[in-house]
Amino acid sequence: MASARAYSTSWVLFASTIVLFAILSGAVSKYAPGLSESYYAKTCPQAPAIVDKFVTKYLTKDSSFAGAFNRLQFHDCWVQGCDGSVLLNSTATNSAEREAHVNFGLRAIKEVDEIKAALEYACPGVVSCADILILAARDATVKVGGPWWPVALGRKDSRKSVDLVADGNLPFPVFNFALLTANFARKNFNAREMVVLSGAHTIGKTHCNGILPHLYNFTGGNNATDIDPALNKGFAAFLKKQCPQGNRTNTIFIDSTAGNFDNAYYKNVLAGKGIFITDATLIRDSFGKKVVTSFAQAQSTFFKEFADGMVKMGNLGVLTGSQGEIRKKCQFVN
Protein backbone atom coordinates (compact mmCIF):
# COMPACT_ATOMS: atom_id res chain seq x y z
CA MET A 1 0.00 0.00 0.00
CA ALA A 2 2.80 2.43 0.89
CA SER A 3 4.49 1.60 -2.39
CA ALA A 4 1.28 2.33 -4.31
CA ARG A 5 0.88 5.67 -2.52
CA ALA A 6 4.51 6.56 -3.33
CA TYR A 7 3.96 5.62 -6.99
CA SER A 8 0.77 7.68 -7.06
CA THR A 9 2.51 10.69 -5.50
CA SER A 10 5.42 10.40 -7.95
CA TRP A 11 3.04 10.23 -10.91
CA VAL A 12 1.15 13.34 -9.74
CA LEU A 13 4.42 15.24 -9.35
CA PHE A 14 5.59 14.10 -12.80
CA ALA A 15 2.29 15.09 -14.43
CA SER A 16 2.32 18.45 -12.67
CA THR A 17 5.84 19.09 -13.91
CA ILE A 18 4.81 18.32 -17.50
CA VAL A 19 1.82 20.68 -17.26
CA LEU A 20 3.96 23.43 -15.75
CA PHE A 21 6.57 22.97 -18.48
CA ALA A 22 3.90 23.22 -21.15
CA ILE A 23 2.49 26.39 -19.61
CA LEU A 24 5.91 27.97 -19.32
CA SER A 25 6.86 26.92 -22.85
CA GLY A 26 3.73 28.57 -24.20
CA ALA A 27 4.38 31.69 -22.16
CA VAL A 28 7.87 32.22 -23.57
CA SER A 29 7.14 31.25 -27.18
CA LYS A 30 8.59 33.88 -29.52
CA TYR A 31 6.30 32.95 -32.39
CA ALA A 32 2.69 33.81 -33.12
CA PRO A 33 0.22 30.91 -32.75
CA GLY A 34 0.17 28.78 -35.89
CA LEU A 35 3.78 29.47 -36.87
CA SER A 36 6.54 26.89 -36.64
CA GLU A 37 10.15 26.54 -37.77
CA SER A 38 9.25 23.10 -39.15
CA TYR A 39 5.99 24.12 -40.82
CA TYR A 40 7.00 22.90 -44.29
CA ALA A 41 9.03 19.91 -43.09
CA LYS A 42 6.58 17.42 -44.64
CA THR A 43 4.79 19.45 -47.30
CA CYS A 44 7.77 21.24 -48.88
CA PRO A 45 11.05 20.53 -47.05
CA GLN A 46 13.09 22.08 -49.87
CA ALA A 47 11.35 25.47 -49.56
CA PRO A 48 14.05 27.24 -47.47
CA ALA A 49 16.81 25.96 -49.77
CA ILE A 50 14.96 27.19 -52.87
CA VAL A 51 14.53 30.68 -51.40
CA ASP A 52 18.17 30.72 -50.31
CA LYS A 53 19.37 29.74 -53.79
CA PHE A 54 17.49 32.54 -55.50
CA VAL A 55 18.52 35.14 -52.91
CA THR A 56 22.15 34.14 -53.53
CA LYS A 57 21.61 34.65 -57.27
CA TYR A 58 20.18 38.13 -56.82
CA LEU A 59 22.85 39.28 -54.37
CA THR A 60 25.62 37.97 -56.60
CA LYS A 61 24.27 40.22 -59.29
CA ASP A 62 23.56 43.21 -57.03
CA SER A 63 24.26 43.25 -53.28
CA SER A 64 21.76 46.10 -52.79
CA PHE A 65 18.98 43.53 -53.06
CA ALA A 66 19.73 42.74 -49.41
CA GLY A 67 18.29 46.12 -48.48
CA ALA A 68 15.36 45.61 -50.86
CA PHE A 69 14.37 42.32 -49.22
CA ASN A 70 14.68 43.83 -45.73
CA ARG A 71 12.50 46.74 -46.78
CA LEU A 72 9.88 44.38 -48.22
CA GLN A 73 9.51 42.55 -44.90
CA PHE A 74 9.14 45.78 -42.96
CA HIS A 75 6.74 47.37 -45.46
CA ASP A 76 4.64 44.21 -45.52
CA CYS A 77 4.51 43.43 -41.80
CA TRP A 78 3.90 47.03 -40.70
CA VAL A 79 0.69 47.25 -42.78
CA GLN A 80 -2.09 44.88 -41.61
CA GLY A 81 0.54 42.28 -40.68
CA CYS A 82 2.96 39.91 -42.42
CA ASP A 83 0.52 38.75 -45.07
CA GLY A 84 2.17 39.47 -48.44
CA SER A 85 -0.24 42.33 -49.12
CA VAL A 86 2.61 44.63 -50.20
CA LEU A 87 3.14 42.41 -53.25
CA LEU A 88 -0.38 42.69 -54.69
CA ASN A 89 -1.06 44.67 -57.87
CA SER A 90 -3.66 47.40 -58.06
CA THR A 91 -6.93 46.64 -59.86
CA ALA A 92 -9.41 48.74 -61.78
CA THR A 93 -11.29 49.42 -58.53
CA ASN A 94 -8.49 49.44 -55.95
CA SER A 95 -5.15 51.18 -55.50
CA ALA A 96 -2.85 48.71 -53.72
CA GLU A 97 -0.17 49.32 -51.09
CA ARG A 98 2.59 49.52 -53.67
CA GLU A 99 1.02 52.76 -54.95
CA ALA A 100 1.32 54.41 -51.53
CA HIS A 101 3.57 57.47 -51.23
CA VAL A 102 5.63 55.76 -48.55
CA ASN A 103 6.29 52.79 -50.87
CA PHE A 104 7.92 54.88 -53.59
CA GLY A 105 10.72 52.93 -55.27
CA LEU A 106 9.89 49.58 -53.67
CA ARG A 107 12.09 46.89 -55.24
CA ALA A 108 12.42 43.09 -55.58
CA ILE A 109 8.76 42.43 -56.43
CA LYS A 110 9.72 40.68 -59.68
CA GLU A 111 12.37 38.67 -57.87
CA VAL A 112 9.85 37.43 -55.29
CA ASP A 113 7.62 36.33 -58.18
CA GLU A 114 10.50 34.31 -59.59
CA ILE A 115 11.06 32.60 -56.24
CA LYS A 116 7.34 31.89 -56.01
CA ALA A 117 7.29 30.30 -59.48
CA ALA A 118 10.10 27.94 -58.45
CA LEU A 119 8.25 26.98 -55.27
CA GLU A 120 5.02 26.39 -57.19
CA TYR A 121 6.91 24.05 -59.51
CA ALA A 122 8.40 22.14 -56.57
CA CYS A 123 5.40 22.21 -54.21
CA PRO A 124 2.23 23.58 -55.85
CA GLY A 125 -0.07 25.55 -53.57
CA VAL A 126 2.00 25.08 -50.42
CA VAL A 127 4.34 28.01 -49.66
CA SER A 128 2.87 31.48 -49.13
CA CYS A 129 4.24 34.72 -50.53
CA ALA A 130 4.23 36.11 -46.99
CA ASP A 131 6.65 33.38 -45.89
CA ILE A 132 8.90 34.00 -48.89
CA LEU A 133 9.37 37.61 -47.73
CA ILE A 134 10.35 36.51 -44.23
CA LEU A 135 12.85 33.93 -45.48
CA ALA A 136 14.35 36.23 -48.11
CA ALA A 137 14.94 39.08 -45.62
CA ARG A 138 16.79 36.75 -43.23
CA ASP A 139 18.84 35.01 -45.92
CA ALA A 140 19.80 38.29 -47.60
CA THR A 141 20.93 39.80 -44.30
CA VAL A 142 23.16 36.83 -43.52
CA LYS A 143 24.71 36.82 -47.00
CA VAL A 144 25.97 40.39 -46.62
CA GLY A 145 27.53 39.75 -43.22
CA GLY A 146 24.59 40.32 -40.89
CA PRO A 147 23.13 38.16 -38.11
CA TRP A 148 21.17 34.94 -38.55
CA TRP A 149 17.84 34.41 -36.81
CA PRO A 150 15.37 31.52 -36.71
CA VAL A 151 12.40 31.85 -39.03
CA ALA A 152 8.99 30.46 -38.16
CA LEU A 153 6.68 29.77 -41.10
CA GLY A 154 3.03 29.07 -41.77
CA ARG A 155 1.67 32.49 -42.78
CA LYS A 156 -1.14 32.76 -45.30
CA ASP A 157 -1.52 35.51 -47.89
CA SER A 158 -4.02 38.35 -47.67
CA ARG A 159 -6.59 39.04 -50.36
CA LYS A 160 -6.64 42.80 -49.78
CA SER A 161 -4.16 45.64 -50.17
CA VAL A 162 -4.93 49.37 -49.97
CA ASP A 163 -2.52 52.28 -50.54
CA LEU A 164 -4.06 54.54 -47.90
CA VAL A 165 -3.62 51.85 -45.26
CA ALA A 166 0.10 51.75 -46.04
CA ASP A 167 0.44 55.54 -45.84
CA GLY A 168 -1.41 55.47 -42.53
CA ASN A 169 0.85 52.86 -40.94
CA LEU A 170 4.38 53.14 -42.30
CA PRO A 171 6.72 55.87 -41.02
CA PHE A 172 7.64 58.57 -43.53
CA PRO A 173 11.32 59.54 -43.99
CA VAL A 174 10.58 63.01 -42.57
CA PHE A 175 9.40 61.75 -39.15
CA ASN A 176 11.12 63.13 -36.05
CA PHE A 177 12.03 61.03 -33.00
CA ALA A 178 8.66 61.49 -31.28
CA LEU A 179 6.71 60.50 -34.39
CA LEU A 180 8.93 57.47 -34.97
CA THR A 181 8.56 56.35 -31.37
CA ALA A 182 4.77 56.72 -31.53
CA ASN A 183 4.63 54.84 -34.83
CA PHE A 184 6.59 51.90 -33.43
CA ALA A 185 4.64 51.93 -30.17
CA ARG A 186 1.45 51.27 -32.14
CA LYS A 187 3.02 47.96 -33.19
CA ASN A 188 4.17 47.24 -29.60
CA PHE A 189 7.83 48.11 -30.27
CA ASN A 190 9.66 50.38 -27.85
CA ALA A 191 12.05 53.24 -28.64
CA ARG A 192 15.15 51.06 -28.36
CA GLU A 193 13.65 48.55 -30.80
CA MET A 194 12.88 51.43 -33.16
CA VAL A 195 16.52 52.51 -33.11
CA VAL A 196 17.81 48.97 -33.67
CA LEU A 197 15.47 48.30 -36.60
CA SER A 198 16.51 51.62 -38.11
CA GLY A 199 19.87 49.87 -38.49
CA ALA A 200 18.45 48.12 -41.57
CA HIS A 201 19.59 51.32 -43.30
CA THR A 202 23.09 49.93 -43.16
CA ILE A 203 22.47 48.07 -46.45
CA GLY A 204 21.01 48.78 -49.87
CA LYS A 205 20.22 51.92 -51.79
CA THR A 206 17.41 54.44 -52.03
CA HIS A 207 15.86 56.91 -54.42
CA CYS A 208 16.40 60.60 -53.81
CA ASN A 209 12.70 61.01 -53.11
CA GLY A 210 13.12 60.44 -49.37
CA ILE A 211 16.33 62.47 -49.13
CA LEU A 212 15.21 65.75 -50.71
CA PRO A 213 13.40 67.10 -47.58
CA HIS A 214 16.72 66.71 -45.77
CA LEU A 215 18.53 68.95 -48.27
CA TYR A 216 16.12 71.62 -49.49
CA ASN A 217 13.47 73.72 -47.72
CA PHE A 218 14.06 71.82 -44.49
CA THR A 219 11.97 74.17 -42.35
CA GLY A 220 9.33 74.66 -45.03
CA GLY A 221 10.26 78.21 -45.94
CA ASN A 222 10.64 77.59 -49.70
CA ASN A 223 14.40 78.07 -49.45
CA ALA A 224 16.63 75.77 -51.50
CA THR A 225 19.62 76.52 -49.24
CA ASP A 226 17.71 75.52 -46.10
CA ILE A 227 19.48 72.26 -45.14
CA ASP A 228 18.90 70.10 -42.08
CA PRO A 229 21.41 71.57 -39.58
CA ALA A 230 22.10 68.09 -38.22
CA LEU A 231 23.78 67.16 -41.50
CA ASN A 232 27.56 67.22 -41.82
CA LYS A 233 28.21 70.08 -44.31
CA GLY A 234 30.54 68.04 -46.50
CA PHE A 235 28.06 65.15 -46.55
CA ALA A 236 25.22 67.54 -47.42
CA ALA A 237 27.22 68.85 -50.38
CA PHE A 238 27.82 65.26 -51.53
CA LEU A 239 24.11 64.42 -51.25
CA LYS A 240 23.14 67.53 -53.23
CA LYS A 241 25.33 66.36 -56.10
CA GLN A 242 23.65 62.97 -56.07
CA CYS A 243 20.15 64.39 -55.54
CA PRO A 244 19.65 67.74 -57.31
CA GLN A 245 16.59 69.68 -56.22
CA GLY A 246 13.44 68.17 -57.68
CA ASN A 247 15.09 64.89 -58.75
CA ARG A 248 13.16 62.09 -57.05
CA THR A 249 14.40 59.13 -59.08
CA ASN A 250 18.21 59.15 -58.85
CA THR A 251 19.48 56.37 -56.61
CA ILE A 252 22.21 56.48 -54.00
CA PHE A 253 23.73 53.90 -51.67
CA ILE A 254 22.18 54.28 -48.27
CA ASP A 255 25.32 53.82 -46.16
CA SER A 256 29.11 54.13 -46.47
CA THR A 257 29.36 50.31 -46.39
CA ALA A 258 26.04 49.60 -48.10
CA GLY A 259 27.14 46.18 -49.37
CA ASN A 260 27.86 44.96 -45.84
CA PHE A 261 25.54 44.60 -42.89
CA ASP A 262 27.48 46.21 -40.03
CA ASN A 263 27.25 48.97 -37.45
CA ALA A 264 28.73 51.67 -39.71
CA TYR A 265 25.21 53.13 -39.95
CA TYR A 266 25.33 54.22 -36.31
CA LYS A 267 28.82 55.66 -36.67
CA ASN A 268 27.61 57.65 -39.67
CA VAL A 269 24.57 58.96 -37.80
CA LEU A 270 26.81 60.16 -34.96
CA ALA A 271 29.00 61.93 -37.54
CA GLY A 272 26.03 63.81 -39.04
CA LYS A 273 25.81 61.49 -42.06
CA GLY A 274 22.35 60.04 -41.63
CA ILE A 275 20.83 59.85 -45.10
CA PHE A 276 17.20 60.47 -44.06
CA ILE A 277 15.68 62.86 -41.54
CA THR A 278 14.59 59.74 -39.63
CA ASP A 279 18.25 58.79 -39.30
CA ALA A 280 19.52 62.21 -38.22
CA THR A 281 16.72 62.59 -35.69
CA LEU A 282 17.88 59.56 -33.70
CA ILE A 283 20.60 61.61 -31.99
CA ARG A 284 18.44 64.69 -31.40
CA ASP A 285 16.87 62.76 -28.52
CA SER A 286 19.09 61.98 -25.51
CA PHE A 287 17.86 58.40 -25.20
CA GLY A 288 18.16 57.84 -28.93
CA LYS A 289 21.71 59.18 -28.96
CA LYS A 290 22.65 56.88 -26.07
CA VAL A 291 21.37 53.82 -27.95
CA VAL A 292 22.99 54.89 -31.23
CA THR A 293 26.30 55.33 -29.41
CA SER A 294 26.06 51.89 -27.80
CA PHE A 295 25.43 50.20 -31.15
CA ALA A 296 28.26 52.18 -32.77
CA GLN A 297 30.58 50.81 -30.10
CA ALA A 298 29.30 47.22 -29.96
CA GLN A 299 28.33 45.58 -33.24
CA SER A 300 27.54 42.27 -31.52
CA THR A 301 24.87 43.97 -29.39
CA PHE A 302 23.33 45.53 -32.48
CA PHE A 303 23.32 42.19 -34.30
CA LYS A 304 21.60 40.33 -31.47
CA GLU A 305 18.92 42.94 -30.93
CA PHE A 306 18.32 43.38 -34.66
CA ALA A 307 17.77 39.62 -35.03
CA ASP A 308 15.34 39.66 -32.09
CA GLY A 309 13.49 42.60 -33.63
CA MET A 310 13.09 40.84 -36.97
CA VAL A 311 11.67 37.75 -35.28
CA LYS A 312 9.22 39.92 -33.35
CA MET A 313 8.23 41.80 -36.50
CA GLY A 314 7.53 38.51 -38.28
CA ASN A 315 4.73 37.80 -35.79
CA LEU A 316 2.71 40.91 -36.61
CA GLY A 317 -0.87 40.28 -37.73
CA VAL A 318 -0.20 36.89 -39.29
CA LEU A 319 -2.93 34.94 -41.05
CA THR A 320 -2.79 31.22 -40.31
CA GLY A 321 -4.92 28.10 -40.64
CA SER A 322 -8.05 28.75 -42.68
CA GLN A 323 -7.38 32.51 -42.87
CA GLY A 324 -6.21 34.02 -46.13
CA GLU A 325 -4.93 31.89 -48.98
CA ILE A 326 -1.77 30.55 -50.66
CA ARG A 327 -1.46 32.72 -53.76
CA LYS A 328 -0.37 31.03 -56.98
CA LYS A 329 1.25 34.28 -58.08
CA CYS A 330 2.30 36.85 -55.52
CA GLN A 331 0.99 39.89 -57.40
CA PHE A 332 -2.54 38.49 -57.81
CA VAL A 333 -5.18 36.98 -55.56
CA ASN A 334 -6.28 33.53 -56.67
Side-chain angles (χ1 to χ4, degrees), residues 133-154:
L133 294 184
I134 301 296
L135 281 166
R138 190 274 308 275
D139 293 348
T141 300
V142 172
K143 291 180 190 302
V144 291
W148 178 93
W149 58 86
V151 168
L153 304 166

Side-chain angles (χ1 to χ4, degrees), residues 268-284:
N268 291 337
V269 169
L270 287 172
K273 297 180 180 180
I275 203 163
F276 299 118
I277 291 173
T278 50
D279 300 322
T281 196
L282 296 181
I283 59 172
R284 287 195 173 101

